[in-house]
Amino acid sequence: KMRRRLRPIYQSYDTSKSALEALTQLSEVLPSAETEKEILQPLHIFANGDFKPSHTFLELLKEEVAKEMESIFEGEDASQYASSSEHWQEAQLAALRAVQQLEGSKDEVPDLVAVDAAGGASGLQRKFVPPAPPRLPDDSGSISVSKRAPLLVLASLVDKLPNLAGLCRTCEVFHCEALCLPNLKVTSEQAFQSISVTAEKWLPLRGVPKPKLKEELLKLRKSGYALVGVEQTHTSVLLDQWNFSENTAILLGAEKEGIDADLLPLLDGCVEIPQQGQLRSLNVHVSGSIVIWEYVRQARSRAVTANTSDTLTT
């Protein structure tokens, strides 16, 4: 889009002159450091022999990129993604043929449609395509989307913004029911958004400050959730030996202190990640992500077992 917008500039070049002279005519030379005269920045500024974009140009570029990203998120047809286009498949075929020529292989190039259905070709990066258009947490539209996993992640004791943003991204990737934050205002911070990469727009978030955490745990217990803490205690169970309930709430501790002692009696149990190195613990975001994946893995395993049983019964 920016190339099309700037095309008239390139077409106005005087071909009888060098590129340096042409750029100088269409641009503006920055004043020297001694000059106090303030100039208005054009779309392009020529300085020190380099063609540098000005602030105005960068702002226009950001707007165009934002529009493109919004159009992608609002797309309802997954076939419109680049990974589903014919051009992308042709590029894959060309890459496979080139590799086979270098290796001297005479094997037939696989059908990309079959390869895609099987989960992607070896050696080619394959991006995940969402099964349905994204929807905001409060969107009550009629579009059918997969049900979120009944897994709540409580991060009210976590106070470092990068860890909260990373947990937000992880929870959305694994389609968790909600993430509880100590303060919802952190989601508006630029540092948070640069790590969460828009996850806060789709993941249901709940504000649960630390003083109200005990009350929230009691409510979840009454609602039928199993309360599991990620903490090393004298009665903690290794993560791979813990059987997660379908409705589970995971409590994460603070970065240094862990879970408060007065909250441990409220939990159904604590899990710890098996470790073999010299360090005592993992980062809270990493620990939370590992525990979330173990919950998802067990849920997927139960679903496969149930489908197999139904197939044998019919």
Side-chain angles (χ1 to χ4, degrees):
K1 285 189 175 182
M2 298 308 300
R3 213 177 279 125
R4 289 197 298 270
R5 174 178 292 181
L6 299 177
R7 188 174 300 157
I9 296 179
Y10 299 128
Q11 290 176 349
S12 63
Y13 280 168
D14 186 353
T15 56
S16 63
K17 298 181 180 180
S18 65
L20 187 63
E21 293 174 337
L23 281 174
T24 304
Q25 286 183 347
L26 295 176
S27 303
E28 186 169 349
V29 179
L30 285 176
S32 61
E34 294 79 12
T35 305
E36 297 181 357
K37 179 182 177 181
E38 183 177 354
I39 61 172
L40 295 177
Q41 290 190 354
L43 287 182
H44 315 282
I45 295 178
F46 187 72
N48 303 326
D50 295 326
F51 189 57
K52 297 183 178 180
S54 69
H55 177 74
T56 306
F57 177 83
L58 294 178
E59 288 299 321
L60 291 174
L61 183 60
K62 289 180 181 179
E63 291 179 5
E64 294 294 342
V65 173
K67 291 179 182 178
E68 287 295 319
M69 293 297 293
E70 289 179 0
S71 64
I72 292 176
F73 282 129
E74 293 173 359
E76 297 186 1
D77 185 4
S79 64
Q80 298 301 316
Y81 285 85
S83 59
S84 301
S85 64
E86 294 181 0
H87 173 75
W88 180 81
Q89 294 185 358
E90 291 175 0
Q92 273 193 312
L93 285 173
L96 289 173
R97 293 192 185 99
V99 172
Q100 289 183 349
Q101 289 178 0
L102 291 175
E103 296 178 349
S105 175
K106 297 182 179 179
D107 296 337
E108 184 177 349
V109 177
D111 182 6
L112 283 181
V113 176
V115 169
D116 186 67
S122 176
L124 296 176
Q125 189 183 55
R126 183 172 181 269
K127 294 295 185 181
F128 169 73
V129 178
R135 294 173 55 193
L136 296 175
D138 56 353
D139 188 357
S140 57
S142 59
I143 303 176
S144 59
V145 294
S146 58
K147 182 181 178 182
R148 287 189 173 272
L151 175 65
L152 283 169
V153 179
L154 294 99
S156 300
L157 300 177
V158 180
D159 53 13
K160 291 187 178 180
L161 189 144
N163 289 331
L164 294 172
L167 287 168
C168 181
R169 182 172 180 174
T170 301
C171 290
E172 171 54 25
V173 166
F174 292 110
H175 218 48
C176 296
E177 181 177 333
L179 171 65
C180 298
L181 300 174
N183 191 339
L184 294 180
K185 292 183 179 180
V186 297
T187 60
S188 60
E189 298 287 340
Q190 180 62 35
F192 184 98
Q193 296 176 1
S194 64
I195 299 176
S196 65
V197 290
T198 73
E200 72 279 359
K201 294 183 178 181
W202 321 115
L203 176 69
L205 300 174
R206 302 179 185 177
V208 181
K210 183 177 178 180
K212 295 185 178 181
L213 182 56
K214 184 175 182 180
E215 179 183 351
E216 182 68 18
L217 290 173
L218 295 176
K219 288 182 180 179
L220 291 174
R221 179 181 293 280
K222 291 181 179 180
S223 300
Y225 284 85
L227 306 180
V228 180
V230 183
E231 184 63 274
Q232 296 170 329
T233 67
H234 67 286
T235 59
S236 58
V237 180
L238 293 179
L239 179 61
D240 55 353
Q241 298 177 6
W242 181 273
N243 293 322
F244 283 96
S245 302
E246 182 178 2
N247 296 335
T248 296
I250 297 175
L251 176 62
L252 302 174
E255 280 82 354
K256 292 183 179 180
E257 294 79 10
I259 299 177
D260 295 348
D262 59 333
L263 297 177
L264 291 176
L266 302 178
L267 305 178
D268 295 309
C270 289
V271 296
E272 64 173 284
I273 301 169
Q275 302 175 37
Q276 297 179 343
Q278 297 298 322
L279 298 183
R280 182 177 64 88
S281 62
L282 291 164
N283 173 272
V284 63
H285 167 218
V286 176
S287 300
S289 299
I290 294 174
V291 175
I292 291 172
W293 164 244
E294 177 61 21
Y295 169 90
V296 173
R297 188 195 65 80
Q298 292 186 17
R300 289 167 62 90
S301 178
R302 289 194 296 266
V304 170
T305 302
N307 293 336
T308 303
S309 301
D310 294 342
T311 302
L312 294 176
T313 303
T314 54

